[in-house]
Amino acid sequence: MVFVLISFSEKNGLNPYRFKHYERYMYDYKETFRGEKATGRYEIVISISGEEYEVSISGKYREWEGVISNRFKNAEELAGFVLMKSYFDHYWLIPLTRTLFSKTLVKVLGSREVELSPGVKEIDKDTFRVVKECKFGGLEGVMMEVWHKKEVVFKLCLTPYTSLPTYVYKKTDEGNVYEIELLEYSDLK
């Protein structure tokens, strides 16, 4: 799937992957990979530390679990770090590289190249559709979908309240399905 979206509209008040002074997220993860189902749970805490962000991620996926913490200048740096760590004994991070911290998703949304006006647009052989509303973790937002051959292959819910998506759904050509959903959010310490 190729992700080439159009210019971002500031009037929506959405700032995906633009971290705030403090945010705490709790996510539930589900997947079907090669016909086998698995789940996970993640807590992500982001706080400002000088000109950088202190990010702490704790989670459990399949039989693996762990905690990492580091400082980053932006979300792209964080996505690269999570991907690198997932290859080296931090297998519990793999779901985040497939969903919230997919390098492509972070790059596209972080560069503000997304138009969120309701409607349907063609992207190469895929159809991009903005659905007016979604609600996850008690927060309302805007749902985007990508359709390929009359099937939804990607869904994303963004809200004006959070810097990370509240929902990501991805289906691969091989039929694998990855889904992460916000359960709780707080921007108060």
Side-chain angles (χ1 to χ4, degrees):
M1 168 176 50
V2 177
F3 238 155
V4 182
L5 305 179
I6 324 159
S7 67
F8 181 79
S9 173
E10 287 286 335
K11 68 184 175 197
N12 290 303
L14 300 171
N15 290 299
Y17 296 102
R18 299 282 193 270
F19 299 142
K20 300 177 184 182
H21 64 289
Y22 176 83
E23 294 180 281
R24 180 188 163 273
Y25 299 85
M26 184 65 76
Y27 286 98
D28 191 38
Y29 175 79
K30 297 178 216 164
E31 75 176 17
T32 303
F33 182 73
R34 297 181 182 156
E36 186 179 324
K37 294 183 186 287
T39 61
R41 179 74 50 104
Y42 293 90
E43 180 182 47
I44 301 169
V45 178
I46 303 166
S47 58
I48 196 158
S49 180
E51 293 184 14
E52 296 179 315
Y53 296 94
E54 179 76 32
V55 180
S56 175
I57 302 172
S58 59
K60 181 172 177 34
Y61 163 66
R62 296 183 182 246
E63 67 270 16
W64 305 295
E65 60 186 295
V67 177
I68 60 167
S69 186
N70 209 339
R71 291 181 182 199
F72 305 95
K73 291 183 182 171
N74 56 46
E76 278 193 66
E77 237 179 57
L78 172 57
F81 178 80
V82 169
L83 178 62
M84 180 194 68
K85 286 288 190 184
S86 72
Y87 284 117
F88 299 103
D89 292 337
H90 288 78
Y91 305 119
W92 59 275
L93 286 169
I94 290 170
L96 296 182
T97 67
R98 293 175 174 157
T99 56
L100 290 178
F101 296 114
S102 152
K103 288 196 53 105
T104 302
L105 181 62
V106 171
K107 185 173 183 168
V108 168
L109 292 178
S111 66
R112 298 178 182 231
E113 295 179 359
V114 181
E115 181 185 310
L116 293 176
S117 58
V120 176
K121 298 162 185 60
E122 294 294 322
I123 305 171
D124 294 331
K125 297 174 185 170
D126 298 334
T127 302
F128 174 69
R129 181 173 85 149
V130 175
V131 181
K132 290 185 180 183
E133 296 177 11
C134 56
K135 189 173 183 177
F136 295 95
L139 302 175
E140 292 183 7
V142 178
M143 179 74 80
M144 297 180 288
E145 297 178 341
V146 176
W147 290 69
H148 181 71
K149 297 181 181 177
K150 299 183 181 183
E151 179 179 25
V152 176
V153 293
F154 185 79
K155 289 184 190 180
L156 175 72
C157 181
L158 298 174
T159 76
Y161 313 106
T162 67
S163 57
L164 294 179
T166 58
Y167 179 76
V168 179
Y169 167 94
K170 181 177 164 185
K171 184 171 185 180
T172 67
D173 292 339
E174 298 80 22
N176 299 327
V177 174
Y178 312 113
E179 186 175 22
I180 196 161
E181 177 180 331
L182 181 69
L183 300 174
E184 296 175 25
Y185 173 77
S186 176
D187 59 1
L188 301 172
K189 280 190 175 184

